Amino acid sequence: MVKVALAPVHDEHLVSAINDAGAQLVSIDDAQALVWIGGADGFPELPDGIEWVALKTAGIEEFMNAGVIDDRRQWTNASGFYAAGCAEHALALLLAGLRQINTAVRNGWDKDGIDTKVRTLRGATVGIIGAGGIGRELTPRLKACGARVLAVNHSGRPVDGADETVPTSELDAVWGRVDHVVLSAPSTAATHHMINDDSLAALPAHAWVVNVARGPLVDEAALHRALVAGEIAGAALDVTDPEPPAADNPLFALPNVIISPHVANPASALTREMAPFLAENIRRFAAGDELISKVVVGRDY
């Protein structure tokens, strides 16, 4: 029986997952595995008996920066666990922009304030940059709206349902081939400011940029310049850099910008969504099998 510690607090969904997987809930000093549902601040010193640590977040930058993650044990994050909710939010942001819901909210009952060229996803090509778990969930949602999907992932292996998949090595050629872009890639040195002056200039003037990934993927100064100049139609951001954004962030003042406060992945749903994956990973750990969403130390995700 696998001995699992849950900290810094107990959660009913995760306690049930641990029990359902046939594991025993114990203190951290007696545990083989630690399920940590807090942040990097306050992360405990790990006893030698801890062989695996499960983190509840998909992004692990704060843990990497704090020097918490080591190569002495296995680590998993929550990459892909919350994909359905993030995909739903990405679609909502994109549709709100294209259908000018944001403009209507700002202007009230002002038909003259609505551009008569209301755009639709029907017939549009949407590029999903970082088409992992979120991309796989978003693809059928976009297809249901009549869009064509161009998926971009590291390997270039085909994404189910996408019309085309290309590797990130060909990303520079993607910007000019899509109508809109959804960012769902991890934050790494390679993805830092992938939305910049050059990529924004290559996008069509009617493009919307949606970011449900991490704030550092977007150079916000370059985005502001492009929006003011009319190089793209709009941007919808669930994440910013830094977070929270400054109250005087100039993006707030633009009518073609939608900013939601990092809620694509609602806090109320985190542990409920994580629970079945945790139970499966406990079973895999007990059997000595490969864990889901295993962190590769040194890869930043």
Side-chain angles (χ1 to χ4, degrees), residues 200 218-230 249-254 257:
L200 289 163
V218 175
D219 180 342
E220 290 187 6
L223 179 63
H224 186 268
R225 288 192 293 269
L227 289 164
V228 170
N249 186 318
L251 290 174
F252 281 121
L254 298 182
V257 172

Side-chain angles (χ1 to χ4, degrees), residues 110-159:
D110 176 17
K111 288 192 177 183
D112 292 336
I114 298 293
D115 185 348
T116 57
K117 295 179 182 177
V118 174
R119 294 195 173 272
T120 175
L121 279 176
R122 294 189 302 277
T125 297
V126 179
I128 304 176
I129 315 302
I134 295 173
R136 288 189 293 272
E137 290 284 347
L138 181 57
T139 293
R141 289 167 168 80
L142 290 170
K143 298 289 284 185
C145 293
R148 181 178 184 274
V149 174
L150 195 168
V152 181
N153 58 25
H154 183 71
S155 66
R157 285 194 295 270
V159 172

Side-chain angles (χ1 to χ4, degrees), residues 188-204:
T188 66
T191 62
H192 184 77
H193 285 186
M194 63 163 49
I195 295 297
N196 52 45
D197 287 311
D198 292 338
S199 55
L200 289 163
L203 287 168

